[in-house]
Amino acid sequence: MSSRAFLLSCPFPSGIPADDLPQAGSWCMKWNVPLFWYAGFSSAGRVNLHHSEIGLEFPTFHATPEALAENLASSRDVMLDLLPSELRDDYAGLYDAFAARVKSDFQDGALFEIADFFALAEFDPSALEAFPGEIQKLDDARNGQHTLTLDDFLFAGAFDVGGEPAPADDCTAVELATRWRLILTGGPVDDQSWPPEPSPTEIDLAEQMIAKARPQRPRAMEPASSAPVSSNEKPWWKFW
């Protein structure tokens, strides 16, 4: 089973069981929680939802359209400070595009839900509180009371952004740079055109990371000359 994170378009979800949450207008990401999603939410929006299938209440976070816009604006510099400095300008543009798209897609409010990750943690109570802990640290950083690091985000995969692919990964530089963008933003379920294309700076760094990850192949030996043997010269095997 793959773990998935969701942004769901819905009004305040008090009393709604997780099984009945709307899926229309949702964003989704597999395997990790996109880092920029945290930026739209605060501890004030915590809502515990009941999941009847697994018999568990788990924390989610809701933001009204107004709160979503305010949180995204106040989180911008905090988020960008977490990313590779050589890509800050490029990711500033990506963050702004992400914020604009999220505000457009979630005009009824947004719910941040990662229940799949709690299931993978085998319902460990400490895992249930790790998600609210991430949001609280972001709140503190917005207020100047905490300096965020990527270690503060247990469920995000942002350590891979700007890093080397696996040696066996046969991706191109454009594919790797696009993957970094998706790790940060996720994307709408029904829109394959997201995210915006990576910049030349991102692609150049991706090329460097791919070169570092893949061992250099030894140079092929020069092929033997195929020039015909001179009629005046005996082949090596003719010794008479």
Side-chain angles (χ1 to χ4, degrees), residues 60-134:
T60 65
F61 289 87
H62 185 269
T64 63
E66 297 77 16
L68 187 65
E70 182 180 340
N71 293 334
L72 286 166
S74 62
S75 301
R76 185 178 187 273
D77 288 343
V78 171
M79 286 286 150
L80 294 177
D81 285 345
L82 295 170
L83 303 175
S85 58
E86 62 268 40
L87 297 179
R88 183 185 173 96
D89 289 344
D90 302 280
Y91 285 156
L94 175 63
Y95 184 92
D96 293 341
F98 165 78
R101 178 64 185 267
V102 165
K103 287 185 288 186
S104 175
D105 283 4
F106 297 96
Q107 297 184 34
D108 293 328
L111 185 74
F112 187 4
E113 185 260 288
I114 64 169
D116 280 1
F117 289 82
F118 303 138
L120 288 179
E122 298 179 350
F123 314 126
D124 182 346
S126 65
L128 287 176
E129 288 306 311
F131 183 33
E134 293 174 322

Side-chain angles (χ1 to χ4, degrees), residues 15 24 33 50 57 67 78 116 130 138 148 151 177 183 194 206 228 232:
V33 179
H50 181 74
E57 278 203 348
V78 171
D116 280 1
L138 177 55
L148 280 178
D151 289 327
I183 288 172
W194 184 269
N232 298 324

Side-chain angles (χ1 to χ4, degrees), residues 90-231:
D90 302 280
Y91 285 156
L94 175 63
Y95 184 92
D96 293 341
F98 165 78
R101 178 64 185 267
V102 165
K103 287 185 288 186
S104 175
D105 283 4
F106 297 96
Q107 297 184 34
D108 293 328
L111 185 74
F112 187 4
E113 185 260 288
I114 64 169
D116 280 1
F117 289 82
F118 303 138
L120 288 179
E122 298 179 350
F123 314 126
D124 182 346
S126 65
L128 287 176
E129 288 306 311
F131 183 33
E134 293 174 322
I135 299 290
Q136 182 59 57
K137 289 176 181 177
L138 177 55
D139 283 346
D140 293 341
R142 290 181 184 122
N143 297 325
Q145 299 173 348
H146 178 68
T147 301
L148 280 178
T149 70
L150 290 178
D151 289 327
D152 289 323
F153 295 95
L154 174 65
F155 298 107
F159 282 106
D160 292 333
V161 173
E164 300 175 24
D169 190 342
D170 198 27
C171 62
T172 66
V174 172
E175 289 169 343
L176 180 59
T178 301
R179 187 183 307 166
W180 292 342
R181 289 188 155 222
L182 283 170
I183 288 172
L184 296 176
T185 70
V189 171
D190 56 354
D191 185 356
Q192 300 303 311
S193 66
W194 184 269
E197 293 182 359
S199 70
T201 302
E202 294 167 68
I203 295 171
D204 182 63
L205 180 60
E207 288 176 345
Q208 295 175 44
M209 293 300 103
I210 289 172
K212 288 177 64 177
R214 296 175 185 167
Q216 296 294 316
R217 297 177 180 175
R219 293 182 60 185
M221 295 181 63
E222 293 288 337
S225 173
S226 57
V229 177
S230 168
S231 58

